[in-house]
Amino acid sequence: MAPKFQKGPDLKRFMDKKLKFNLNGNRKVIGTLRGYDAFLNVVLEEAILVETQESLGTIVVRGNSIIHFEGVDRLAAAAAAAAAAAAANPAS
């Protein structure tokens, strides 16, 4: 028997953080998460289309068009750690 209701996504930990969304149609958008619902529809503020660096402002992205998302802050931290490791261990 199927459950009577489904719990929506838990994106509370991503609220007010900068995220990168890969969307269908090979589009990529970066913006600050301001809201979401049970269908993974999201509200992004200060959104930017990555390919053209076009500013989109505040947008709503429909959940079924989202393929993947990740935190931009995490990517920046990983890149900084890799750069620091490369500087500490220069190639011979």
Side-chain angles (χ1 to χ4, degrees):
M1 177 187 270
K4 295 184 181 183
F5 61 91
Q6 285 187 324
K7 187 176 178 183
D10 185 21
L11 301 179
K12 291 177 194 164
R13 64 184 174 168
F14 297 109
M15 288 296 291
D16 301 322
K17 296 218 175 10
K18 192 169 279 253
L19 301 175
K20 178 181 178 182
F21 286 83
N22 293 338
L23 308 176
N24 61 6
N26 203 24
R27 295 171 293 172
K28 295 176 177 63
V29 177
I30 294 177
T32 304
L33 182 66
R34 294 296 183 206
Y36 64 94
D37 65 8
F39 301 103
L40 196 61
N41 299 321
V42 297
V43 177
L44 299 178
E45 196 171 75
E46 300 173 3
I48 297 171
L49 189 61
V50 174
E51 292 84 6
T52 61
Q53 294 298 313
E54 177 184 355
S55 177
L56 303 173
T58 301
I59 62 171
V60 176
V61 179
R62 190 168 174 181
N64 65 353
S65 67
I66 298 172
I67 296 171
H68 173 79
F69 72 92
E70 58 189 330
V72 173
D73 299 332
R74 183 182 67 82
L75 294 174
N89 298 323
S92 303

